[in-house]
Amino acid sequence: MKILVINGPNLNMLGIREPDIYGRETYASVCDKIKSYAAQIGVDVEIYQSNHEGDIVDKIQSAYGNFDGIVINPAAYTHTSVAILDALKSVSIRAVEVHISDVNEREQFRHISYAGMACEHHIIGHGTDGYLEAVAYLAGVGE
Ligand code: CA2
């Protein structure tokens, strides 16, 4: 099984600022954690991060026919991007939305998720372990 993990803008800054909200792990260590968990459960994983909406749309489109599942944390684009929603719909690949923080307990503008409308499952506020839970969900581990 092949899973694509997509991270949106500023998530590459993890561990550098706002540790109270996003924790102290660096982006590189989160990626390592996802890769080693995926290897442990026999999943082939690719991780992609971009600060650019169109690049994320391109990456989702390129997953068509090449991946069995998408784990996506669109970061700020969660709350604004119909383009990412449409891209997820266009490829019809099973998708899971992840947010490190509990967006529903934060500002009102973070309560709307466009990308989430194309996702079958949502893992919100479980910290960076949410990525592992999303990979496990798509792989059917623990069912
Ligand atoms: O909780 C999440 O995972 C978010 O997707 C993170 C986004 C935020 O806009 C969403 O509302 C919720 C922000 C990612 C920015 O990450 C930073 C990491 C370190 C320092 C500053 C920002």
Side-chain angles (χ1 to χ4, degrees):
M1 166 171 239
K2 286 182 72 178
I3 294 178
L4 174 62
V5 177
I6 299 176
N7 283 302
N10 299 306
L11 284 163
N12 55 315
M13 299 295 280
L14 279 178
I16 296 173
R17 284 182 47 247
E18 302 196 67
D20 296 348
I21 303 174
Y22 302 115
R24 292 188 184 279
E25 282 171 282
T26 62
Y27 184 67
S29 68
V30 174
C31 291
D32 287 347
K33 181 166 84 168
I34 296 167
K35 284 177 195 158
S36 73
Y37 178 71
Q40 207 181 301
I41 62 168
V43 165
D44 190 358
V45 77
E46 178 183 328
I47 305 175
Y48 175 80
Q49 190 275 332
S50 176
N51 295 325
H52 306 281
E53 184 176 17
D55 289 345
I56 294 170
V57 169
D58 287 344
K59 191 67 186 175
I60 293 168
Q61 289 183 6
S62 75
Y64 183 70
N66 294 312
F67 286 90
D68 307 299
I70 294 176
V71 171
I72 185 160
N73 181 349
Y77 291 140
T78 304
H79 320 297
T80 62
S81 181
V82 177
I84 291 174
L85 166 63
D86 287 345
L88 288 168
K89 283 185 169 173
S90 76
V91 294
S92 289
I93 298 172
R94 297 178 65 208
V96 178
E97 174 183 25
V98 169
H99 294 289
I100 298 167
S101 65
D102 187 349
V103 282
N104 297 318
E105 294 295 324
R106 298 180 65 191
E107 303 95 323
Q108 195 69 34
F109 69 84
R110 295 186 204 272
H111 296 187
I112 178 90
S113 170
Y114 291 101
M117 294 172 194
C119 295
E120 66 178 58
H121 191 55
H122 313 265
I123 298 170
I124 295 178
H126 294 192
T128 59
D129 284 351
Y131 291 101
L132 311 190
E133 290 173 39
V135 169
Y137 172 85
L138 286 170
V141 170
E143 278 177 356

